[in-house]
Amino acid sequence: GITLVFLIVFITGLLMTEPGSRLILRGATWISGGVIHIEKVEGALLSDLRLEEIAISTSSMEVSIDEVESKWGGIVNIFKPLLKIDHLAVTGVTITPQNGQSENSEEKIRLPDFYWPLGIAIQHIQFNDVILADQSGGTTQLFNTLSANIHVLNQHININEFSVDSDQYGVSANGSIETAGDWKVQLLGDLNLDGFGFKNVVGSYKLHGPTHSPQVHLEVTAPGSIQIEGQILNLLDGLEWKANLIARSVDLHSLILNCPKIELHRVIANLAGDFDGYRGDVELDGAYAMLDDLHLESSIVADWMSIQFESLHISRKESVARAVDGWISWKEIFSWGGDFEFINFDLSTLPGDLTGKL
């Protein structure tokens, strides 16, 4: 009996006092092998807690966090315990990928199995000011805020009211993640995009499958109709993706910044890429300026502000245009160029002061 009382008092002291919380967090640093380091602790785990200057270091990335604050909400059900956290805020996150090769650099990252014997409900979790940095000192703001409602039990995480807000895009979601095996994820929600060279894009998505390589269905409803079936590859080891795209009734002037009116009646594309850009094969029917009934076939290499045509074949009735080293760009103004071969082509149908027939 005395041992049980002592144990209860000891655990209570760990969870409800500042020295006890420091001891637990130092233990977490030790268990992680120094991967996690916390400079300053104020408050207690089962109270209001504040952590400052947190560093997470792995072979693939460095993460620094200015501040973490949590507000304890109590135990909801004593017979089926549910630990409640009213609010958890993480502020000032900087993520720096590491390019150095470690001894295990050929090994794929695998998420460990996690089992949560007690239910945990985080009523509101929020990340503020999350930045991606490179080793040369350059930074990109990933988003302004990310918020969600999370419920964890056994090997299951329910995610509700998930929302990401940035100056250039927004994402919402509801779904779940299994914290065992391949960590299967299932999310669905809405998105909008007004940046990265695009404008006024509205749609919805569904993501499901193993966390390291989930399947993605994306449907853009404005402008026009665009459906994308794809897969994210190596999500934990360096993001890559592949996708098949079908689009109908899309005006590129409404979709791409600085782009003139180019009507795409039908587009079929098979693409693959990463954060920096994409490449693949494209076939489309459309219209540009006075040129209607255009048919285009091309192999492309692109970033998010320009496209290089490895091969380009455009036909309209009896007219044909082929290009070597062709390109288009909408970085500042819409422009295009390349070495062209024209067959039976009326130049007056192109924008500008060109006349004659080739």
Side-chain angles (χ1 to χ4, degrees), residues 200 202 219-226 247-251 254-255 264:
N200 306 321
V202 178
E219 184 166 354
V220 174
T221 54
S225 173
I226 304 173
R248 298 184 184 278
S249 303
V250 177
D251 180 0
S254 301
L255 178 67
L264 304 182

Side-chain angles (χ1 to χ4, degrees), residues 260-274:
K261 187 175 182 64
I262 301 176
E263 297 178 0
L264 304 182
H265 306 317
R266 179 188 68 97
V267 181
I268 298 175
N270 186 356
L271 305 171
D274 53 26

Side-chain angles (χ1 to χ4, degrees), residues 129-196:
D129 300 326
V130 177
I131 292 172
L132 180 67
D134 57 42
Q135 295 180 334
S136 64
T139 60
T140 302
Q141 186 156 21
L142 294 181
F143 51 80
N144 299 328
T145 61
L146 180 155
S147 61
N149 173 294
I150 295 177
H151 188 169
V152 182
L153 180 62
N154 298 335
Q155 293 181 323
H156 191 84
I157 302 175
N158 277 330
I159 302 172
N160 298 300
E161 301 174 11
F162 177 91
S163 175
V164 177
D165 178 62
S166 83
D167 296 335
Q168 301 187 86
Y169 68 93
V171 178
S172 66
N174 291 283
S176 63
I177 301 174
E178 301 293 335
T179 61
D182 289 332
W183 279 58
K184 291 182 179 178
V185 59
Q186 183 163 337
L187 295 174
L188 56 89
D190 299 321
L191 58 84
N192 61 80
L193 177 63
D194 197 2
F196 307 104

Side-chain angles (χ1 to χ4, degrees), residues 61-346:
M61 71 176 63
E62 300 278 345
V63 180
S64 67
I65 302 172
D66 293 341
E67 180 182 276
V68 175
E69 287 186 307
S70 69
K71 294 186 180 296
W72 171 248
I75 300 176
V76 175
N77 188 336
I78 194 67
F79 299 104
K80 191 177 180 181
L82 175 65
L83 308 182
K84 182 181 174 185
I85 298 173
D86 288 336
H87 184 72
L88 177 64
V90 182
T91 301
V93 181
T94 301
I95 303 168
T96 308
Q98 301 298 299
N99 296 324
Q101 299 294 315
S102 67
E103 293 180 1
N104 299 318
S105 61
E106 297 299 321
E107 297 182 7
K108 297 292 185 182
I109 296 175
R110 184 185 183 278
L111 295 172
D113 292 353
F114 277 102
Y115 182 83
W116 315 83
L118 299 177
I120 301 173
I122 305 177
Q123 298 297 99
H124 184 257
I125 182 170
Q126 182 166 316
F127 289 80
N128 304 304
D129 300 326
V130 177
I131 292 172
L132 180 67
D134 57 42
Q135 295 180 334
S136 64
T139 60
T140 302
Q141 186 156 21
L142 294 181
F143 51 80
N144 299 328
T145 61
L146 180 155
S147 61
N149 173 294
I150 295 177
H151 188 169
V152 182
L153 180 62
N154 298 335
Q155 293 181 323
H156 191 84
I157 302 175
N158 277 330
I159 302 172
N160 298 300
E161 301 174 11
F162 177 91
S163 175
V164 177
D165 178 62
S166 83
D167 296 335
Q168 301 187 86
Y169 68 93
V171 178
S172 66
N174 291 283
S176 63
I177 301 174
E178 301 293 335
T179 61
D182 289 332
W183 279 58
K184 291 182 179 178
V185 59
Q186 183 163 337
L187 295 174
L188 56 89
D190 299 321
L191 58 84
N192 61 80
L193 177 63
D194 197 2
F196 307 104
F198 296 92
K199 58 182 181 179
N200 306 321
V201 178
V202 178
S204 61
Y205 71 94
K206 180 178 180 181
L207 185 146
H208 62 94
T211 299
H212 58 78
S213 55
Q215 300 286 330
V216 179
H217 171 78
L218 174 63
E219 184 166 354
V220 174
T221 54
S225 173
I226 304 173
Q227 293 188 344
I228 299 173
E229 295 286 348
Q231 185 178 17
I232 299 173
L233 307 171
N234 305 320
L235 181 59
L236 304 178
D237 301 283
L239 177 68
E240 297 176 344
W241 57 268
K242 62 180 182 179
N244 295 318
L245 178 150
I246 298 176
R248 298 184 184 278
S249 303
V250 177
D251 180 0
L252 292 187
H253 176 69
S254 301
L255 178 67
I256 297 176
L257 193 68
N258 301 323
C259 186
K261 187 175 182 64
I262 301 176
E263 297 178 0
L264 304 182
H265 306 317
R266 179 188 68 97
V267 181
I268 298 175
N270 186 356
L271 305 171
D274 53 26
F275 269 127
D276 297 324
Y278 54 95
R279 66 185 303 146
D281 298 321
V282 180
E283 180 180 350
L284 66 84
D285 297 313
Y288 173 47
M290 297 175 62
L291 299 171
D292 56 2
D293 298 327
L294 288 173
H295 181 76
L296 178 149
E297 297 180 15
S298 180
S299 293
I300 65 172
V301 177
D303 57 30
W304 303 108
M305 298 299 288
S306 64
I307 298 175
Q308 301 286 329
F309 297 99
E310 292 187 325
S311 65
L312 176 63
H313 183 279
I314 303 173
S315 59
R316 175 181 179 263
K317 299 177 181 177
E318 302 300 321
S319 303
V320 175
R322 301 187 184 96
V324 177
D325 296 327
W327 57 270
I328 60 173
S329 174
W330 53 93
K331 186 173 183 180
E332 295 179 359
I333 61 172
F334 183 79
S335 55
W336 59 274
D339 296 328
F340 284 85
E341 175 189 3
F342 294 97
I343 302 174
N344 195 31
F345 205 94
D346 185 356

